[in-house]
Amino acid sequence: MDMQVAKKKLSLKEKYKLMTRDLGWDTTYHTKDEVFPYVKYEGIKIHDWDKWEDPFRLTMDSYWKYQGEKERKFYAIIDAHAQNNGHLNITDASYLSALKIFLQAISPGEYAAGKGFARMGREFPGVGTQVACQMQSIDEIRHAQTQIHALSNYNKFYNGFHAFADARDRMWYCTLPRSFFDDALSAGPFEFMIAIGFSFEYVLTNLLFVPFMSGAAYNGDMATVTFGFSAQSDEARHMTLGLECIKFMLEQDPDNLPIVQGWIDKWFWRGFRLLGVVGTMMDYMLPKRVMSWKEAWGIYGVENGGALFRDLARYGIRPPKGWDDADKAIDHMSHQFMLALYQYNFGTAFHSWIPSEDDMAWLSKKYPDTFDKYYRPRWNHLTKLKEAGTPFANMGLAKLCQTCQIPTVFTEPDDPTSICQRETEYKGEKYHFCSDGCQHIFENEPEKYIQAWLPMQQLFQAPISGDLGAWMNWVSLIPGKDNGDYDGSEDQRNFEAWRKQATSNQ
Amino acid sequence: MAVTSTKPYVAVPRDLVQNFNGKQIVYVCWDHHMLFATPLMLVVEPGMLLGDLLQNVVKPLIGPDPDAAAVDLTQVAWMKSGQPWKPNLAASLADNGIVHKEQLRFSTPGLNSLLAA
């Protein structure tokens, strides 16, 4: 309810000052260093926190208003989706594998980001930064909630959605994003900002929320589009916050440059590795595709990312180490990931499949230099094995990278016929990596990464001790329902039967 | 370089050999045969003869590759920790110096059906 006031409304600038900067105070019982104990140990020097500018000048009252409006729209569309059997409007139930990966692996990451920003809101001494971090923290929790809520509609009808919380902690492929966030959350506040504000928001979510959500729209999935578009306006703000933090650090003291550059190198590579999954979702799991992973990377990685590094060059920042290796990997990574998902699909809570002739024709068009030469022959051979009644399941299990925890599926940057294998020894133990980038990250902080909870290694330790059935039970995977080839699955049968009912009178 | 931290940082590796109930991890990679998405991860006893590992464990696992039938694992070229290596198939893994998390690679030049196109 509006109240009558004689004085005219505050200007945006005055309001921002009152609602952010004026909420801060100087401590008297304790020193600033005691109150903010984690802000100096990383070596970042900040001389004047008031120089922090929130580019959006967002205050809590306008934040509630915007977010409240978005929530109302979101819930109206989700309710309509549920009431009108929206799950039958998608192109094909095979598409749901992309959503299952999203729910199991990515939505928990939103929640982790929420925890992280809540902590940063406490650890940064600047009031502007505190308020911006608090709002981002609430955004991230909201994203986790809206994603879980939107996808719960599919859980009523399809397998693989029921145990995403168990999957987050226990499922092998979920350690990819989990290790990314655990790494960020166990870093100091400034490194966290680079990890999430730069790498995750800038490098990753653009690719996730723009082309992937367009893919959802193209495949008739209004539930996912709705949460995607509701989140996207927040993501734009988060990216700006991350970028603002980078510039702030670089403007405050020249000594910050090498530290920031090191983090950009590290977190670019970690973000890039994690992204491979999204590439596979885009290239293989969408029945109707908007663009290839390679095309999306061209726009959001090369063009946007390139512009960012040109912009940061005036501070002395150079493109991250691994930028060239990333470029060489683009033609290969989605195919290498999908081949792994297919041969290990007895151990996933989603379905994978051999691409159809139609899919392969598309892949060949989008990857003219690599698909027919390297990947089609493997898929053709896998088809032959399947038709012979001996579909390939790789019981050798996967060797994992100690840093990114991804199965070491990637090839040498200059030789797509050879798996990239790197190893190092630390305190008498051998450690293995998927790339120079991951080895470099390990060697900078070996003590951190020797503690990695590598799922394949853990499978053979107590309490599972190599028992695959016990493992499936432990990760809440229902064999024969959640896993395996999409072809012949319960999801496929149900979707076809229900769709037929919806379009016939029989 | 050490971890940047506020106090001394002590970490314990999570996959030490003593956690594996008397077994150890060995990775085996058949170079240029990427039907197998990653090197094979095997968990076996260090007292096992290398010849038995190759015949009874590795051979069945590589079976789905179209070249598998043509491979004689006693005749292939080996690398261990990235260096050329001559194995003793009649000795145990331990006697061959194959430690926990060792990476073995073998190559079969001229044999690569799935990349021949």
Side-chain angles (χ1 to χ4, degrees):
Chain A
M1 187 176 72
D2 286 339
M3 291 218 302
Q4 291 291 327
V5 284
K7 194 169 170 288
K8 74 176 179 76
K9 278 187 177 170
L10 293 169
S11 76
L12 211 63
K13 206 172 166 186
E14 287 170 316
K15 200 165 96 171
Y16 177 71
K17 186 173 184 317
L18 285 169
M19 297 285 284
T20 57
R21 303 304 163 104
D22 279 7
L23 295 177
W25 66 89
D26 287 326
T27 58
T28 48
Y29 300 150
H30 297 279
T31 65
K32 274 260 183 195
D33 284 350
E34 286 172 317
V35 178
F36 300 105
Y38 301 112
V39 84
K40 286 185 177 163
Y41 82 94
E42 295 169 279
I44 293 291
K45 294 176 187 163
I46 303 296
H47 304 292
D48 183 2
W49 277 97
D50 285 337
K51 289 266 165 53
W52 171 278
E53 293 286 346
D54 183 351
F56 280 86
R57 300 251 191 303
L58 195 62
T59 54
M60 271 298 168
D61 57 341
S62 48
Y63 176 81
W64 300 136
K65 189 166 161 280
Y66 294 143
Q67 302 300 67
E69 278 169 15
K70 283 201 284 185
E71 292 288 87
R72 278 192 292 280
K73 283 179 197 156
F74 169 78
Y75 284 98
I77 295 172
I78 292 297
D79 286 350
H81 175 87
Q83 284 166 18
N84 294 309
N85 278 325
H87 70 99
L88 293 178
N89 294 330
I90 58 173
T91 42
D92 187 73
S94 61
Y95 161 77
L96 295 174
S97 280
L99 296 192
K100 292 171 194 176
I101 296 175
F102 195 102
L103 181 64
Q104 293 165 27
I106 296 175
S107 300
E110 302 271 16
Y111 187 71
K115 283 201 293 190
F117 276 100
R119 201 190 110 199
M120 300 319 140
R122 172 64 186 82
E123 287 187 4
F124 283 127
V127 184
T129 334
Q130 288 170 354
V131 172
C133 286
Q134 283 162 14
M135 284 189 275
Q136 179 159 353
S137 174
I138 299 167
D139 283 348
E140 303 290 3
I141 292 170
R142 192 178 81 87
H143 295 174
Q145 285 173 337
T146 52
Q147 287 164 21
I148 294 164
H149 184 69
L151 297 182
S152 69
N153 280 310
Y154 290 108
N155 179 44
K156 292 175 193 158
F157 305 101
Y158 302 97
N159 300 317
F161 289 94
H162 64 97
F164 73 94
D166 283 349
R168 185 262 172 195
D169 287 341
R170 301 175 177 186
M171 191 55 102
W172 58 276
Y173 49 86
C174 291
T175 63
L176 281 58
R178 183 153 65 92
S179 75
F180 181 98
F181 280 100
D182 285 353
D183 193 347
L185 282 161
S186 57
F190 288 106
E191 186 182 343
F192 178 86
M193 283 302 285
I194 302 280
I196 308 302
F198 161 72
S199 173
F200 195 72
E201 302 289 356
Y202 209 97
V203 184
L204 189 87
T205 60
N206 237 347
L207 280 152
L208 198 56
F209 281 93
V210 186
F212 185 68
M213 293 306 159
S214 308
Y218 223 43
N219 285 280
D221 177 13
M222 292 322 288
T224 297
V225 175
T226 306
F227 78 63
F229 286 171
S230 174
Q232 180 53 28
S233 53
D234 299 340
E235 302 297 350
R237 186 155 47 78
H238 300 169
M239 282 164 56
T240 316
L241 176 62
L243 190 57
E244 183 59 30
C245 188
I246 294 179
K247 289 184 174 174
F248 177 62
M249 283 187 261
L250 296 170
E251 281 166 2
Q252 285 283 312
D253 200 294
D255 289 353
N256 294 340
L257 175 65
I259 305 175
V260 172
Q261 181 72 58
W263 287 333
I264 286 180
D265 290 348
K266 169 182 173 180
W267 287 99
F268 166 74
W269 192 252
R270 290 224 62 179
F272 180 73
R273 274 294 183 239
L274 185 56
L275 269 173
V277 182
V278 184
T280 306
M281 288 151 83
M282 286 176 62
D283 280 346
Y284 281 86
M285 294 187 168
L286 304 183
K288 288 280 285 178
R289 292 164 212 134
V290 179
M291 61 167 71
S292 68
W293 163 245
K294 183 183 162 85
E295 290 163 326
W297 176 253
I299 297 170
Y300 299 100
V302 178
E303 283 180 30
N304 287 7
L308 170 71
F309 293 115
R310 279 193 295 281
D311 185 32
L312 291 174
R314 66 194 156 105
Y315 298 105
I317 291 285
R318 52 160 174 74
K321 249 186 209 173
W323 183 253
D324 295 338
D325 283 352
D327 205 43
K328 290 174 186 169
I330 288 302
D331 264 321
H332 302 280
M333 56 203 292
S334 67
H335 316 296
Q336 293 169 350
F337 245 121
M338 188 64 175
L339 279 157
L341 294 179
Y342 176 74
Q343 62 197 254
Y344 295 119
N345 74 13
F346 54 91
T348 61
F350 56 86
H351 299 297
S352 46
W353 52 87
I354 295 172
S356 67
E357 274 304 318
D358 187 50
D359 291 335
M360 290 207 267
W362 184 87
L363 289 163
S364 159
K365 207 165 68 189
K366 295 296 178 182
Y367 293 92
D369 300 332
T370 55
F371 185 76
D372 286 340
K373 189 168 180 198
Y374 300 109
Y375 303 105
R376 188 190 283 268
R378 290 179 220 170
W379 288 120
N380 284 345
H381 181 66
L382 289 166
T383 306
K384 230 188 290 169
L385 291 177
K386 186 181 163 179
E387 282 169 355
T390 53
F392 179 38
N394 189 344
M395 299 311 287
L397 298 188
K399 177 183 165 189
L400 306 176
C401 173
Q402 187 76 24
T403 301
C404 69
Q405 307 203 10
I406 299 175
T408 55
V409 299
F410 305 107
T411 43
E412 292 285 355
D414 295 308
D415 181 5
T417 72
S418 191
I419 291 175
C420 186
Q421 306 184 54
R422 300 286 182 272
E423 67 175 85
T424 195
E425 233 175 81
Y426 180 73
K427 291 190 177 169
E429 283 288 310
K430 282 181 184 292
Y431 296 97
H432 298 269
F433 311 96
C434 69
S435 55
D436 291 329
C438 282
Q439 181 172 4
H440 179 78
I441 292 168
F442 176 93
E443 285 172 349
N444 265 332
E445 296 179 295
E447 291 285 305
K448 189 164 191 175
Y449 299 101
I450 62 172
Q451 306 165 79
W453 188 92
L454 296 177
M456 298 299 162
Q457 270 80 330
Q458 297 299 318
L459 173 59
F460 288 91
Q461 298 182 29
I464 303 292
S465 301
D467 179 342
L468 197 59
W471 174 79
M472 288 188 175
N473 197 34
W474 181 65
V475 298
S476 304
L477 190 163
I478 304 169
K481 278 179 178 283
D482 296 334
N483 58 355
D485 200 322
Y486 175 68
D487 192 14
S489 67
E490 192 172 74
D491 278 1
Q492 184 194 39
R493 288 197 307 274
N494 283 340
F495 181 73
E496 282 170 11
W498 292 332
R499 227 232 318 217
K500 212 174 271 174
Q501 276 175 3
T503 54
S504 85
N505 297 305
Q506 302 305 311
Chain B
M1 206 159 80
V3 173
T4 305
S5 59
T6 53
K7 54 190 172 190
Y9 189 100
V10 181
V12 179
R14 297 191 73 139
D15 57 3
L16 295 169
V17 71
Q18 53 263 38
N19 302 352
F20 288 84
N21 307 313
K23 295 184 177 178
Q24 69 169 75
I25 292 174
V26 182
Y27 299 111
V28 178
C29 182
W30 185 3
D31 279 351
H32 306 295
H33 283 71
M34 299 198 312
L35 178 67
F36 311 101
T38 81
L40 305 168
M41 176 184 152
L42 311 173
V43 183
V44 290
E45 283 165 13
M48 192 177 202
L49 298 182
L50 182 58
D52 287 347
L53 176 88
L54 299 183
Q55 196 52 41
N56 304 332
V57 183
V58 175
K59 188 88 184 167
L61 285 173
I62 62 169
D65 191 282
D67 296 333
V71 173
D72 179 354
L73 285 173
T74 64
Q75 300 300 320
V76 297
W78 287 96
M79 305 249 277
K80 180 166 156 296
S81 282
Q83 301 299 319
W85 174 64
K86 190 107 187 88
N88 178 358
L89 301 183
S92 69
L93 301 183
D95 290 340
N96 268 287
I98 298 168
V99 299
H100 183 46
K101 294 183 278 175
E102 190 81 76
Q103 175 70 62
L104 305 177
R105 300 170 69 160
F106 68 95
S107 56
T108 53
L111 200 58
N112 203 345
S113 310
L114 289 181
L115 282 174

